[in-house]
Amino acid sequence: MEQSDPDRFYTDLADDTISLITRHEPLEGRVVLDVGAGSTYFGRRFVTGGARYVAVDLDIDALGSGPSRGAVVGRGEQLPIADASVDIVMANNVMEHVPRPGVVGDEMLRVVRPGGLVFISYTAWASPWGGHETSPWHWRGGRYAARRYEQVHGHPPKNLYGESMFPTTVAGGLRWARAQQGAWLVEAAPRYHPDWADSVLHVPVVREVLSWNLMMVLRRA
């Protein structure tokens, strides 16, 4: 749906993200930093919710224009944002697109103020949708999946394994979150699953497949 109907996809994703964040922190008057924003849809929804929204992305065209209008070109691994300067920082479906997700996570913790919230959500590689548009053939390897996609569709996939998509794990994300000295993990759950499915995160190997998308909320000390 992301490529076939981006308006609906990103609007629904923004609304879901707002619902998950506001379990822990209201939006009204908060400065929200969106790492790897990728589109203007999030900004519109967050501004409507009362937030001051700032988007960071490598692609200047993705930042667009509109009511969000704090927009900064930059990398998640080296955010051009001052220490402890935002109330909420989020990364939606970004970690699978960077080779060192822990570095991005560390940067997010650096820029959020004490007591502020960090929201991270990403698709695990071993899940049915881990290869994004090349799924489920990624289970046979990312490069195989990309070649097959190009053979079928006549053009390369948007997400290229080893270049713009990398094999993230649930275990790796949880390990990073629990190792933080200056923040604590407030919530971890398989996103898009009912609450009763949260226990799957406690089952090694199985969680990599069944979680689909790992959602984590941390609060900085």
Side-chain angles (χ1 to χ4, degrees), residues 24 31 35-36 81 84 86 89 94 96 101 111 113 125 133-134 137 142-143 155 164 175 200 204:
H24 307 283
V31 177
V35 178
I81 305 294
V86 302
V89 57
V94 170
E96 66 264 43
V111 302
R113 65 168 174 76
W125 176 253
E133 71 269 36
T134 68
W137 299 100
R143 291 182 176 83
H155 59 85
S164 59
R175 187 165 53 248
V200 74

Side-chain angles (χ1 to χ4, degrees), residues 123-131 138-139 167-169 205 207-210:
T123 304
W125 176 253
S127 75
W129 291 103
H138 69 293
W139 280 333
T168 51
T169 66
V205 181
R207 64 190 173 194
E208 301 296 338
V209 179
L210 296 186

Side-chain angles (χ1 to χ4, degrees), residues 13-207:
L13 185 61
D15 288 344
D16 184 62
T17 302
I18 288 171
S19 175
L20 293 169
I21 287 175
T22 53
R23 291 180 185 179
H24 307 283
E25 189 80 12
L27 290 185
E28 185 67 38
R30 303 303 196 271
V31 177
V32 177
L33 180 68
D34 189 356
V35 178
S39 78
T40 59
Y41 297 102
F42 270 68
R44 296 175 190 143
R45 306 304 284 183
F46 274 82
V47 168
T48 298
R52 294 171 56 198
Y53 175 89
V54 180
V56 175
D57 202 284
L58 267 178
D59 183 0
I60 191 171
D61 294 329
L63 294 171
S65 61
S68 67
R69 285 322 70 190
V72 181
V73 176
R75 302 184 66 89
E77 295 92 338
Q78 197 171 11
L79 292 170
I81 305 294
D83 295 357
S85 59
V86 302
D87 301 301
I88 300 168
V89 57
M90 63 181 179
N92 271 285
N93 300 318
V94 170
M95 298 308 187
E96 66 264 43
H97 299 294
V98 296
R100 297 182 297 165
V103 174
V104 178
D106 292 345
E107 276 289 275
M108 293 173 72
L109 284 170
R110 177 184 67 79
V111 302
V112 75
R113 65 168 174 76
L117 215 65
V118 172
F119 178 91
I120 296 172
S121 176
Y122 64 88
T123 304
W125 176 253
S127 75
W129 291 103
H132 290 20
E133 71 269 36
T134 68
S135 302
W137 299 100
H138 69 293
W139 280 333
R140 292 191 57 181
R143 291 182 176 83
Y144 170 85
R147 288 196 303 271
R148 183 187 182 279
Y149 182 95
E150 186 166 3
Q151 290 168 358
V152 172
H153 297 279
H155 59 85
K158 173 185 175 182
N159 300 287
L160 294 174
Y161 180 81
E163 296 181 27
S164 59
M165 184 168 60
F166 301 88
T168 51
T169 66
V170 173
L174 292 173
R175 187 165 53 248
W176 170 84
R178 291 165 177 162
Q180 299 310 308
Q181 299 297 311
W184 67 94
L185 184 61
V186 177
E187 182 181 5
R191 190 173 184 177
Y192 313 121
H193 290 10
D195 290 345
W196 58 261
D198 288 0
S199 59
V200 74
L201 293 187
H202 301 295
V203 187
V205 181
V206 172
R207 64 190 173 194

